[in-house]
Amino acid sequence: RDRIRSSPYLRLALGLVVVLGAVIVAQVIVTSLPLSRLPSRILLTVVTVASAVGAYAWFFRWAEARQITELSGDTLARETGVGMLIGALMFGFCVAVLAALGTFRIAGINPWSVLLIPLIINVGSAVFEEVLFRGVLFRLLEEGVGTWLALLASALLFGGLHLINENATLMGAVGVGLEAGFALAA
């Protein structure tokens, strides 16, 4: 255990295996259940978030022998609210720029229920990605190679991995790498 504590690279490798492994096992179990689409998505999101956060908290409490303050319930509501506000402002700014350039317009309005499944999926994905990319990857890379190289490496990996998404483009991956991989880690 002392060897693990002294090496950010060993903690990085093991942390990725523990968090990814927990999430994969949980998702395999949930997707094998005979549930309809909405209950399946809700359960999958809850299990993904719980598995990622639980595995992260367990592993780093064990490997680093510290309190996991970054997941503290004491600041959770405030930090979540501030994060959502910043995200909404960033998104709103992008939409405003696109509207000012004449490339964005509202063509119609759908009922709010259309957003339910995508919202559930994206909340789960966002929490999982933050735990994995910022909590494990960026934090431990920063400890090993410094802030700037950790920002660059995590942004490249984050953007690059988004290329496996359906309809992904290189330009989209670059955008994701810059705005989410770099800006969110910074």
Side-chain angles (χ1 to χ4, degrees):
R1 201 159 127 177
D2 290 336
R3 185 170 175 224
I4 293 170
R5 280 192 187 142
S6 66
S7 172
Y9 306 112
L10 193 50
R11 279 182 280 131
L12 171 62
L14 292 173
L16 289 173
V17 168
V18 168
V19 172
L20 279 172
V23 168
I24 290 168
V25 167
Q27 287 185 345
V28 165
I29 291 168
V30 170
T31 56
S32 70
L33 299 174
L35 299 171
S36 62
R37 187 163 186 224
L38 183 58
S40 174
R41 290 298 185 171
I42 292 170
L43 184 59
L44 191 61
T45 296
V46 169
V47 167
T48 297
V49 168
S51 299
V53 170
Y56 176 87
W58 172 82
F59 178 75
F60 287 104
R61 191 175 300 123
W62 175 83
E64 296 174 346
R66 67 178 179 89
Q67 284 294 109
I68 309 300
T69 57
E70 61 271 30
L71 298 175
S72 170
D74 298 341
T75 59
L76 182 65
R78 183 181 60 79
E79 289 180 2
T80 299
V82 169
M84 291 174 72
L85 177 63
I86 291 170
L89 290 172
M90 289 171 63
F91 188 79
F93 177 74
C94 291
V95 170
V97 168
L98 292 172
L101 294 172
T103 59
F104 176 83
R105 65 180 178 83
I106 297 173
I109 297 174
N110 288 317
W112 70 269
S113 59
V114 173
L115 295 175
L116 190 57
I117 290 177
L119 178 64
I120 290 167
I121 293 168
N122 284 300
V123 166
S125 295
V127 172
F128 169 65
E129 289 175 357
E130 288 303 305
V131 167
L132 193 66
F133 283 92
R134 264 52 91 191
V136 179
L137 182 71
F138 173 73
R139 186 176 66 81
L140 293 171
L141 275 178
E142 183 180 36
E143 187 180 324
V145 299
T147 301
W148 289 106
L149 282 176
L151 280 171
L152 179 63
S154 65
L156 286 171
L157 187 58
F158 191 73
L161 284 174
H162 278 79
L163 284 171
I164 65 174
N165 290 340
E166 185 179 341
N167 299 318
T169 64
L170 184 57
M171 183 59 84
V174 168
V176 167
L178 288 174
E179 65 83 21
F182 188 82
L184 293 178

